[in-house]
Coordinates of all heavy atoms in Angstrom, one line a residue:
F1 N 98.2 79.8 38.9 CA 98.8 79.0 40.0 C 99.8 78.0 39.5 O 99.8 77.7 38.3 CB 97.7 78.2 40.8 CG 96.8 79.3 41.5 CD1 95.7 79.9 40.7 CD2 96.9 79.5 42.8 CE1 94.9 80.8 41.5 CE2 96.0 80.3 43.5 CZ 95.0 81.0 42.8
R2 N 100.6 77.4 40.3 CA 101.5 76.5 39.9 C 101.7 75.4 40.9 O 101.4 75.7 42.2 CB 102.9 76.9 39.5 CG 103.6 77.5 40.6 CD 104.9 78.3 40.3 NE 105.7 78.9 41.3 CZ 106.9 79.5 41.1 NH1 107.3 79.8 39.8 NH2 107.5 80.0 42.2
Q3 N 102.0 74.2 40.5 CA 102.2 73.1 41.4 C 103.4 72.2 41.0 O 103.4 71.7 39.9 CB 100.9 72.3 41.6 CG 100.9 71.2 42.6 CD 99.5 70.5 42.9 OE1 98.7 70.7 42.0 NE2 99.4 69.9 44.1
A4 N 104.4 72.2 41.8 CA 105.5 71.2 41.6 C 105.4 70.0 42.3 O 104.5 69.8 43.2 CB 106.8 71.9 42.3
P5 N 106.0 68.8 41.8 CA 105.7 67.5 42.3 C 106.0 67.5 43.8 O 107.0 68.0 44.3 CB 106.8 66.7 41.5 CG 107.1 67.5 40.3 CD 106.8 68.9 40.6
G6 N 104.9 67.0 44.5 CA 105.0 66.8 45.9 C 104.8 68.0 46.7 O 104.9 68.1 47.9
Q7 N 104.5 69.2 46.0 CA 104.2 70.3 46.8 C 102.8 70.9 46.5 O 102.1 70.3 45.7 CB 105.1 71.4 46.3 CG 106.6 71.2 46.5 CD 107.5 72.2 46.2 OE1 107.1 73.5 46.1 NE2 108.8 72.1 45.9
E8 N 102.3 71.7 47.5 CA 101.0 72.3 47.3 C 100.8 73.3 46.1 O 101.8 74.0 45.7 CB 100.6 73.0 48.6 CG 100.4 72.0 49.8 CD 99.9 72.6 51.0 OE1 99.7 73.9 51.0 OE2 99.6 71.9 51.9
R9 N 99.7 73.5 45.7 CA 99.4 74.4 44.6 C 99.7 75.9 45.2 O 99.5 76.2 46.3 CB 98.0 74.4 44.2 CG 97.8 75.2 42.8 CD 96.4 75.0 42.3 NE 96.4 73.6 41.7 CZ 95.4 73.0 41.1 NH1 94.2 73.8 41.0 NH2 95.4 71.9 40.7
E10 N 100.5 76.7 44.4 CA 100.9 78.0 44.9 C 100.5 79.1 44.0 O 100.5 78.9 42.7 CB 102.5 77.9 44.8 CG 103.3 79.2 45.1 CD 104.7 79.2 44.7 OE1 105.1 78.2 44.0 OE2 105.4 80.0 45.2
F11 N 100.0 80.1 44.5 CA 99.6 81.4 43.8 C 100.8 82.1 43.1 O 102.0 82.1 43.6 CB 98.9 82.3 44.8 CG 98.8 83.7 44.1 CD1 97.6 83.9 43.1 CD2 99.6 84.8 44.4 CE1 97.5 85.1 42.5 CE2 99.4 86.0 43.8 CZ 98.3 86.2 42.8
V12 N 100.6 82.4 41.8 CA 101.7 83.1 41.1 C 101.3 84.5 40.7 O 102.0 85.4 41.1 CB 101.9 82.3 39.7 CG1 103.0 83.0 38.9 CG2 102.5 80.9 40.0
A13 N 100.2 84.6 40.1 CA 99.8 86.1 39.7 C 98.2 86.0 39.4 O 97.7 85.0 39.2 CB 100.4 86.5 38.5
A14 N 97.7 87.2 39.5 CA 96.3 87.4 39.2 C 95.9 88.8 38.6 O 96.7 89.7 38.9 CB 95.4 87.2 40.5
I15 N 94.8 88.8 37.8 CA 94.5 90.0 37.2 C 93.1 90.3 37.3 O 92.2 89.3 37.0 CB 95.0 90.3 35.8 CG1 94.8 91.5 35.1 CG2 94.2 89.1 34.9 CD1 95.6 91.6 33.8
S16 N 92.6 91.5 37.5 CA 91.1 91.7 37.6 C 90.4 91.8 36.2 O 91.2 91.7 35.1 CB 90.8 93.1 38.3 OG 91.5 94.1 37.4
R17 N 89.2 91.7 36.2 CA 88.4 91.6 34.9 C 88.7 92.8 34.0 O 88.6 92.6 32.8 CB 87.0 91.5 35.2 CG 86.3 92.5 36.0 CD 84.7 92.2 36.1 NE 84.0 92.9 35.0 CZ 82.7 92.9 34.9 NH1 82.0 92.3 35.8 NH2 82.1 93.5 33.9
S18 N 89.0 93.9 34.5 CA 89.3 95.1 33.7 C 90.8 95.3 33.4 O 91.2 95.9 32.5 CB 88.9 96.3 34.5 OG 89.8 96.5 35.6
G19 N 91.6 94.4 34.2 CA 93.0 94.4 33.9 C 93.6 95.6 34.7 O 94.8 95.8 34.6
G20 N 92.9 96.3 35.4 CA 93.4 97.5 36.1 C 94.1 97.1 37.6 O 94.8 97.8 38.1
N21 N 93.8 95.9 38.0 CA 94.4 95.4 39.3 C 95.1 94.1 39.0 O 94.6 93.1 38.6 CB 93.2 95.2 40.2 CG 93.7 95.0 41.7 OD1 94.9 94.6 41.9 ND2 92.8 95.2 42.7
R22 N 96.4 94.3 39.4 CA 97.3 93.0 39.2 C 98.1 92.8 40.4 O 98.5 93.6 41.2 CB 98.2 93.2 37.9 CG 97.5 93.8 36.8 CD 98.5 94.1 35.6 NE 98.0 94.8 34.6 CZ 98.5 94.9 33.3 NH1 99.5 94.2 33.1 NH2 97.9 95.7 32.4
I23 N 98.1 91.4 40.7 CA 98.8 90.9 41.9 C 99.9 89.9 41.3 O 99.6 89.0 40.7 CB 97.9 90.3 42.9 CG1 96.8 91.3 43.2 CG2 98.7 89.9 44.1 CD1 95.7 90.6 44.1
V24 N 101.1 90.0 41.9 CA 102.1 89.0 41.6 C 102.8 88.6 42.9 O 103.0 89.3 43.7 CB 103.1 89.7 40.6 CG1 104.3 88.5 40.4 CG2 102.6 90.1 39.4
S25 N 103.0 87.3 43.1 CA 103.6 86.7 44.3 C 105.0 87.2 44.5 O 105.7 87.5 43.5 CB 103.6 85.2 44.2 OG 104.6 84.7 43.4
D26 N 105.5 87.4 45.7 CA 106.8 87.8 45.9 C 107.9 86.9 45.2 O 108.9 87.4 44.9 CB 107.1 87.8 47.5 CG 106.3 88.9 48.1 OD1 105.9 89.8 47.5 OD2 106.1 88.8 49.4
S27 N 107.6 85.6 45.2 CA 108.6 84.7 44.6 C 108.9 85.0 43.1 O 109.8 84.5 42.6 CB 108.1 83.3 44.7 OG 106.8 83.0 44.1
V28 N 108.0 85.7 42.4 CA 108.1 85.9 40.9 C 108.1 87.3 40.7 O 108.3 87.8 39.4 CB 107.1 85.1 40.1 CG1 107.0 83.7 40.4 CG2 105.7 85.8 40.3
K29 N 108.0 88.2 41.7 CA 108.0 89.6 41.4 C 109.2 90.2 40.7 O 110.3 89.8 41.0 CB 107.8 90.4 42.7 CG 107.4 91.8 42.6 CD 106.9 92.4 44.0 CE 105.6 91.7 44.3 NZ 105.1 92.3 45.6
G30 N 109.1 91.0 39.7 CA 110.1 91.4 39.0 C 110.6 90.5 37.8 O 111.3 91.0 36.8
R31 N 110.0 89.3 37.8 CA 110.4 88.5 36.6 C 109.1 88.1 35.8 O 109.2 87.8 34.6 CB 110.9 87.1 37.3 CG 112.3 87.4 38.0 CD 112.9 86.1 38.4 NE 112.0 85.4 39.4 CZ 111.6 84.1 39.1 NH1 112.0 83.6 38.0 NH2 110.9 83.4 39.9
F32 N 108.0 88.0 36.4 CA 106.8 87.5 35.8 C 105.8 88.7 35.6 O 105.7 89.5 36.5 CB 106.0 86.5 36.6 CG 106.7 85.1 36.5 CD1 108.1 84.9 36.1 CD2 106.1 84.0 37.0 CE1 108.6 83.7 36.1 CE2 106.6 82.7 37.0 CZ 107.9 82.6 36.7
T33 N 105.2 88.7 34.4 CA 104.2 89.9 34.2 C 102.9 89.3 33.8 O 102.8 88.5 32.8 CB 104.7 90.9 33.2 OG1 105.9 91.5 33.7 CG2 103.6 92.0 33.0
I34 N 101.7 89.7 34.2 CA 100.4 89.2 33.9 C 99.7 90.4 33.1 O 99.8 91.5 33.4 CB 99.6 88.7 35.0 CG1 98.2 87.9 34.6 CG2 99.2 89.8 36.1 CD1 97.6 87.2 35.7
S35 N 99.0 89.8 32.1 CA 98.2 90.9 31.2 C 97.1 90.2 30.5 O 97.0 89.0 30.6 CB 99.3 91.5 30.2 OG 99.5 90.3 29.2
R36 N 96.2 90.9 30.2 CA 94.9 90.3 29.5 C 94.6 91.1 28.2 O 94.8 92.3 28.2 CB 93.9 90.2 30.4 CG 93.2 91.5 30.8 CD 92.2 91.2 32.0 NE 91.1 90.2 31.5 CZ 90.4 89.5 32.3 NH1 90.5 89.6 33.6 NH2 89.4 88.6 31.9
D37 N 94.0 90.4 27.2 CA 93.4 91.1 26.1 C 92.0 90.5 26.0 O 91.7 89.4 25.5 CB 94.2 90.7 24.9 CG 93.6 91.3 23.7 OD1 92.5 91.8 23.5 OD2 94.4 91.5 22.6
N38 N 91.0 91.3 26.4 CA 89.5 90.9 26.7 C 89.0 90.8 25.1 O 88.1 90.0 25.0 CB 88.8 92.0 27.4 CG 89.0 91.5 28.9 OD1 89.5 90.5 29.3 ND2 88.7 92.6 29.7
A39 N 89.6 91.5 24.3 CA 89.1 91.3 22.9 C 89.2 90.0 22.3 O 88.6 89.4 21.4 CB 89.6 92.4 21.9
K40 N 90.4 89.4 22.7 CA 90.8 88.1 22.3 C 90.6 87.0 23.3 O 90.8 85.8 23.2 CB 92.3 88.0 22.0 CG 92.7 89.0 20.9 CD 94.3 88.9 20.6 CE 94.6 89.8 19.3 NZ 96.0 89.7 19.1
N41 N 90.0 87.3 24.4 CA 89.7 86.4 25.6 C 90.8 85.7 26.0 O 90.7 84.5 26.2 CB 88.4 85.5 25.1 CG 87.2 86.1 25.0 OD1 86.8 87.0 25.7 ND2 86.5 85.7 23.8

């Protein structure tokens, strides 16, 4: 999530525990990528 000064907290991206389900907000789609490495936590 992100929060700019004077603004509400905004969702950016999320990933499931397995990494198989990823969601990215429309405002960052195509620019931001979320990933995880469970071996490295």
Side-chain angles (χ1 to χ4, degrees):
F1 293 77
R2 66 186 182 186
Q3 187 167 20
Q7 298 188 21
E8 294 186 353
R9 189 168 294 184
E10 173 191 19
F11 169 77
V12 176
I15 189 166
S16 62
R17 55 179 272 181
S18 70
N21 191 341
R22 309 179 193 198
I23 306 171
V24 179
S25 71
D26 289 342
S27 62
V28 304
K29 192 167 293 182
R31 300 187 297 122
F32 290 14
T33 304
I34 189 169
S35 63
R36 70 186 300 158
D37 184 339
N38 282 341
K40 296 181 179 179
N41 292 320

